[in-house]
Amino acid sequence: MGSSQESTFSSASTAAQVNALDLLPVYAKELIAGGAAGAFAKTAVAPLERVKILLQTRTQGFQSLGIIRSLRKLWQYEGTRGFYKGNGASVLRIVPYAALHYMTYEQYRCWILNNAPSVGTGPVVDLLAGSAAGGTAVLCTYPLDLARTKLAYQVSNVAQPGNPLGNSGQQPVYNGIKDVFKTVYKEGGARSLYRGIGPTLIGILPYAGLKFYIYEDLKSRVPEDYKRSVILKLSCGALAGLFGQTLTYPLDVVRRQMQVQNKQPLDANDAFRIRGTFQGLFLIIRCQGWRQLFAGLSLNYVKVVPSVAIGFTTYDMMKNLLGVPPRERAHPLTGNNNK
């Protein structure tokens, strides 16, 4: 009798949890799934991301080191915590960024299908929706990316003399995300919090679009029986990240160097300051050589393959777990599951 009552109570509790989940609108479930995907993916590759930023910004003592030697040097100076320096800002940024990115992708995709039937229903829709979603997410979360870069740029016990692009002078020492915001805001107001947004947007629009385009196109070519395979999703996500990053990587280098350069006037060196995207590309080529535009790219391959793969796979699994309906049954910004 008691066992029967316990079983009934357990069933009722499970049903209540399921019903509560069903009350969430589709876009809220997509936000949760996207945020979880971003957090898992970013934390998994945080040490590689830290080394990539040090290579991109020509940090003293890391310019000519490879991946393994850079990781060893970080361990020597800062220990295990050094691998995750700036990761707090990164996760704080990536959770809302990824949540907005995936959710707005789904909403833009539905909007295009409902309002622009001439575009069709193929991968071009994913390209357009992914690009628009990437731009939306970047605009909303960019100051956190700036804070992450400035924190990751600092290496304890290593001097930071100037590079040929105007990052000379004493670099500020930041004690956390709040300190970064405060210092950067004092340097140039709210506009300083968006330093480097130009190359970021120019880079993210094609990258985000290509990422979704390739991932969805690869999945569509797979037989139905294999579409739930985790290995398959990881492979599709890895290829999507690989192609997308290769095409847009130089713009990421320009963005990082803009983010870490000082705002104060630098007199004679001021001519070497990056002021815009294309001017920055030419300036880096002239002062540092064209190879600098691809500094850390091999490391980025090692980082981005698991990162994008984990992100897409986690997102798909979280959508299944949360009961997000198939796309053809989900309406933008509603919880209605019936077409």
Side-chain angles (χ1 to χ4, degrees):
M1 184 74 176
S3 176
S4 175
Q5 286 178 342
E6 287 176 8
S7 177
T8 304
F9 178 78
S10 176
S11 300
S13 175
T14 303
Q17 290 176 0
V18 171
N19 290 336
L21 200 58
D22 288 342
L23 291 175
L24 285 173
V26 171
Y27 74 88
K29 294 178 182 179
E30 290 166 351
L31 279 170
I32 294 169
F40 275 112
K42 186 59 70 175
T43 302
V45 298
L48 297 174
E49 178 69 13
R50 176 87 198 278
V51 171
K52 186 193 80 167
I53 290 174
L54 294 174
L55 291 174
Q56 286 181 324
T57 54
R58 294 171 65 85
T59 303
Q60 178 69 15
F62 287 85
Q63 301 102 314
S64 58
L65 299 183
I67 301 172
I68 302 300
R69 289 174 65 194
S70 293
L71 288 169
R72 280 179 183 163
K73 192 163 188 174
L74 270 179
W75 171 273
Q76 177 187 347
Y77 284 131
E78 300 181 345
T80 307
R81 293 182 64 182
F83 293 148
Y84 294 90
K85 192 171 184 179
N87 191 54
S90 187
V91 170
L92 269 179
R93 167 192 164 267
I94 204 64
V95 168
Y97 173 85
L100 282 169
H101 195 178
Y102 285 106
M103 186 275 287
T104 54
Y105 159 73
E106 301 284 2
Q107 303 306 322
Y108 284 136
R109 190 178 187 279
C110 285
W111 187 91
I112 292 169
L113 291 174
N114 292 334
N115 296 279
S118 58
V119 175
T121 59
V124 174
V125 176
D126 299 304
L127 181 67
L128 295 174
S131 296
T136 302
V138 162
L139 286 171
C140 293
T141 61
Y142 188 79
L144 285 167
D145 183 60
L146 179 74
R148 183 272 302 264
T149 301
K150 285 186 172 292
L151 288 170
Y153 178 62
Q154 297 179 147
V155 182
S156 301
N157 303 319
V158 175
Q160 298 284 8
N163 68 27
L165 285 183
N167 290 347
S168 60
Q170 183 65 36
Q171 292 287 333
V173 176
Y174 303 106
N175 297 316
I177 301 169
K178 187 178 177 181
D179 188 34
V180 173
F181 287 155
K182 217 185 272 187
T183 306
V184 172
Y185 185 81
K186 283 179 183 176
E187 286 180 358
R191 287 185 62 183
S192 290
L193 294 172
Y194 283 86
R195 190 184 306 157
I197 189 70
T200 303
L201 283 174
I202 293 172
I204 200 65
L205 294 180
Y207 170 62
L210 282 169
K211 189 171 68 172
F212 280 102
Y213 175 97
I214 295 168
Y215 181 69
E216 296 297 337
D217 185 51
L218 288 172
K219 277 207 312 180
S220 69
R221 296 173 185 272
V222 173
E224 198 65 37
D225 293 344
Y226 294 95
K227 285 190 176 178
R228 289 186 174 274
S229 167
V230 173
I231 300 297
L232 176 76
K233 289 175 181 176
L234 284 168
S235 301
C236 291
L239 287 171
L242 193 66
F243 285 113
Q245 272 290 301
T246 302
L247 295 174
T248 60
Y249 191 79
L251 294 166
D252 192 47
V253 174
V254 175
R255 168 174 63 120
R256 296 296 184 199
Q257 295 212 12
M258 284 185 77
Q259 287 177 332
V260 300
Q261 69 185 5
N262 279 338
K263 187 67 178 172
Q264 291 82 6
L266 295 169
D267 303 321
N269 288 328
D270 198 44
F272 298 100
R273 182 184 295 283
I274 297 177
R275 296 182 178 83
T277 306
F278 296 107
Q279 178 257 359
L281 285 169
F282 289 119
L283 197 58
I284 289 173
I285 291 171
R286 179 158 64 91
C287 296
Q288 300 174 356
W290 65 268
R291 293 174 187 269
Q292 181 60 28
L293 292 176
F294 298 92
L297 179 58
S298 58
L299 172 61
N300 212 46
Y301 285 149
V302 176
K303 176 189 81 76
V304 87
V305 168
S307 177
V308 177
I310 291 168
F312 272 124
T313 304
T314 305
Y315 179 63
D316 280 345
M317 293 176 70
M318 285 295 294
K319 283 203 302 181
N320 290 334
L321 185 66
L322 294 169
V324 176
R327 283 174 181 152
E328 62 272 14
R329 293 169 52 204
H331 286 228
L333 298 177
T334 71
N336 186 5
N337 296 345
N338 301 313
K339 193 170 181 178

